[in-house]
Amino acid sequence: MNDRRTILIRYDEIGLKGKNRNQFIDCLVKNIREQMRDVEGLEFKAPHGRIFIYCSLESAEVCSRRLQKIPGVASASVGVTRPRDFDALAAVGVEWIEPLLQPGRTLKFCVRTNRADKSFPYTSPEIDREVGSRILHQLHSRGLEVDIKAAGFVLEIEIGQDETVVFNNRVPGLRGLPVGSSGEVLGLISGGIDSPVAIYRMMKRGCRVHGIFFDNRPFMGRGGYDKVVKLSKLLNAYQRRSRLYVVPFEDIQVAIRDHCRPAHRVVLYRRMMYRIAQAVAQQKGCLALATGESVGQVASQTLENLNAVSQVVNMSVFRPLIGMNKLEIINEAKQLETYDISIEPHPDCCSVFMPPRPATRAKIKDLETDETKFAWEGLMQEAIAKMECIELDASTV
Ligand code: ATP
Ligand code: MG
């Protein structure tokens, strides 16, 4: 079993959770297991403060890639488990460093130890020295030198309670909390740049986020729908299981366009979206709504207009992008790889149904007067009755 690897998985925030700690860890282990379900021959263990996966070298590569997409993972290292014996630990260093040495060139290295098990009778610097000197002794004549500040190769050793792991890589994770540890949220997703980023941020807070899309297909064609489905599949990779609700919105938009003050249209559309989203959330067991709004970004996102939309619902509305500027959001969308899908050309509802001069400070009383001009309750129930539900799972990724 020479190629047997140990993947050491670190989490950070979970460690702070006091009495609920085990629940969070169980949730993270469950998510990791699910994400690796199709990889054969894995063994899992979750001793104090860490999660370990034992596997073959090939599987380690697959797992390490997937771990980067699991909220709650702070970082991961692929290494090997060894006895707590300086010679055995140094042998790993020699095995890994030797192929990197080239005639006539020096390679600088150091050993860095993290000793979680304080009962081990050597301190971390002592272990660094013991293992480092053994490696140096064997490879010094081939150009190996110790340099703690500018090492080109760092051999890391973690002395845990019941496991000693040697590794020389750290793959950063997403951090945050495992999906499923914080309950379910309904995210308003529009096919633009912002809402996918908002949903991603809520997933990283441990929420399972289902999407709701208000579709005006007869006017815009399938473009918006296809984009939102694509984005939802991409986002689902982080949570593996979610739903996308598609609500036909054209009748409501037509009613607002034909009966209400043009300057109020955008806020009135948005109030209807919020009302429907709340009703669906309540029906489906979601505890809050999430949107991609950010203060001052567009006419509908002034403080007055944000208040005017919040006012029609009584459940929490999370706006994780509220204080971000567009450039920061774009950067995050690029990292998330939703950006290229979001910018695919397609007219969104607002650009066609948008009045020439939307009100930036709509008064709630005036909006309510507008809403007496069409039978919104009936239209809302009709839209919910015609709603489509798309189940997303691992196979749709
Ligand atoms: P985005 O890039 O998310 O579309 P935006 O800058 O275009 O954002 P708006 O169009 O004003 O902003 O929408 C603000 C938020 O309202 C969106 O982030 C989304 O959460 C929600 N929203 C807007 N249109 C829709 C829609 N058709 N279906 C679902 N949610 C929507
Ligand atoms: Mg939009």
Side-chain angles (χ1 to χ4, degrees), residues 212-230:
I212 184 165
F213 170 55
F214 297 93
D215 189 10
N216 48 3
R217 210 173 315 176
F219 296 100
M220 303 302 141
R222 283 183 61 99
Y225 176 90
D226 291 340
K227 254 168 95 169
V228 168
V229 170
K230 245 195 259 180

Side-chain angles (χ1 to χ4, degrees), residues 123-137:
T123 64
S124 299
E126 283 167 351
I127 301 165
D128 294 348
R129 268 197 303 277
E130 290 291 339
V131 176
S133 62
R134 282 169 171 78
I135 297 172
L136 195 63
H137 179 73

